[in-house]
Amino acid sequence: MAGEPQADCLFCKIVAGEVPATVVRETETTFAFRDINPQAPTHVLVIPRAHYPDAVALAVAEPAVAADVLTVAGQIAEEEKVAGTGYRIVFNTGAGAGQTVFHAHAHVLAGRGLAWPPG
Ligand code: AMP
Ligand code: ZN
């Protein structure tokens, strides 16, 4: 069924506590933790607890939870004291765009100069 945990999904395992993570924030619908290979001083991943392969699939199936992911991204930016200086929310979507984990996730990146356009 859509949204159900997937046995072979790393981020479902993190939500379930089967794989350790540095948790930043938990809500009823979302889970946020530090990226294991940070690309900026602040690099937090915000994911829905439910499994969807990417952010668009999440938005189509559960738009309120997609909004929750963005709301939590903003709360993390506030907590990390980067909301004022600026931060980037990235949803890599598809292998060609660099997506490697096929459980929807927002990258929250900040704390250094962020070039535009991104690479
Ligand atoms: P993406 O390439 O957009 O799919 O992003 C996946 C992200 O997950 C990468 O930035 C990885 O560094 C990160 N990642 C992979 N394994 C872990 C883990 N066990 N804990 C935290 N972050 C992870
Ligand atoms: Zn998953």
Side-chain angles (χ1 to χ4, degrees):
M1 203 175 107
E4 292 299 311
Q6 301 294 302
D8 59 349
C9 173
L10 173 64
F11 287 178
C12 284
K13 288 179 183 160
I14 286 178
V15 169
E18 294 164 14
V19 169
T22 304
V23 180
V24 173
R25 198 177 189 88
E26 290 185 65
T27 72
E28 199 176 311
T29 57
T30 72
F31 200 87
F33 53 97
R34 297 207 183 273
D35 196 293
I36 204 166
N37 182 24
Q39 301 301 311
T42 291
H43 189 172
V44 175
L45 301 175
V46 185
I47 71 175
R49 288 181 182 272
H51 177 95
Y52 292 96
D54 60 45
V56 172
L58 169 66
V60 169
E62 299 202 44
V65 178
D68 292 344
V69 167
L70 286 174
T71 299
V72 169
Q75 291 169 344
I76 288 166
E78 294 283 351
E79 280 170 12
E80 300 268 317
K81 314 271 187 242
V82 298
T85 47
Y87 58 97
R88 187 166 288 162
I89 301 172
V90 175
F91 295 96
N92 293 327
T93 305
Q99 188 177 1
T100 58
V101 178
F102 290 84
H103 179 130
H105 53 280
H107 296 257
V108 181
L109 294 153
R112 63 166 170 80
L114 294 166
W116 189 262

